[in-house]
Amino acid sequence: MRLSALDPLIPLNCLKDELIKLPKGYSFYEEEIIDFLSRRRWPESDRRIDRTTFWRWRNDNGIERQKVFSRLDLLKLCQICDHYRIDGTRNEYLEIMKRKKELALNR
């Protein structure tokens, strides 16, 4: 599956359903993910997410430095992309992630 074939504004739950259909171990290259996230972040323009932003998003989600990304990595990156698309801030996102970790630890 090519990410370029998908609607960039596909809801996360629909994207997850599409990704589940892929073979186990399927991965995406960094450039393909950046293209998809750029179209998702700014659907009406040709703007691109720069590498610094991509690295920050990756670090904020605890994704290791790599050139190949898993389906879960893609979902995490789309989640942060959506947060910024609706004018969310980095502090808000980090707080959300902190609360999710706390909930997971308390289970």
Side-chain angles (χ1 to χ4, degrees):
M1 175 181 78
R2 303 288 312 161
L3 290 177
S4 58
L6 287 176
D7 174 8
L9 298 179
I10 185 172
L12 283 178
N13 57 344
C14 295
L15 178 60
K16 183 179 179 182
D17 292 343
E18 288 295 318
L19 295 175
I20 288 174
K21 296 175 187 175
L22 297 173
K24 187 174 182 165
Y26 192 91
S27 56
F28 301 94
Y29 289 99
E30 180 178 317
E31 196 60 36
E32 184 179 14
I33 288 182
I34 289 174
D35 288 342
F36 184 74
L37 293 173
S38 296
R39 290 185 304 128
R40 190 173 183 93
R41 175 73 171 91
W42 297 291
E44 296 89 24
S45 76
D46 289 337
R47 285 182 68 180
R48 260 182 83 68
I49 293 169
D50 60 39
R51 296 246 184 249
T52 305
T53 298
F54 181 71
W55 291 335
R56 186 180 70 242
W57 289 6
R58 194 180 61 197
N59 291 337
D60 288 350
N61 277 295
I63 299 170
E64 297 295 319
R65 306 191 109 211
Q66 56 201 25
K67 294 289 182 186
V68 179
F69 297 85
S70 70
R71 298 176 294 184
L72 180 59
D73 295 338
L74 175 61
L75 287 172
K76 289 177 181 180
L77 291 165
C78 285
Q79 182 180 4
I80 195 169
C81 182
D82 291 352
H83 177 77
Y84 286 113
R85 190 176 71 231
I86 59 169
D87 293 329
T89 66
R90 183 170 190 231
N91 286 338
E92 289 170 344
Y93 187 79
L94 293 175
E95 185 62 34
I96 290 167
M97 296 308 290
K98 180 181 173 186
R99 276 189 262 133
K100 282 185 177 182
K101 277 186 184 175
E102 288 171 356
L103 284 173
L105 290 175
N106 290 334
R107 287 185 177 175

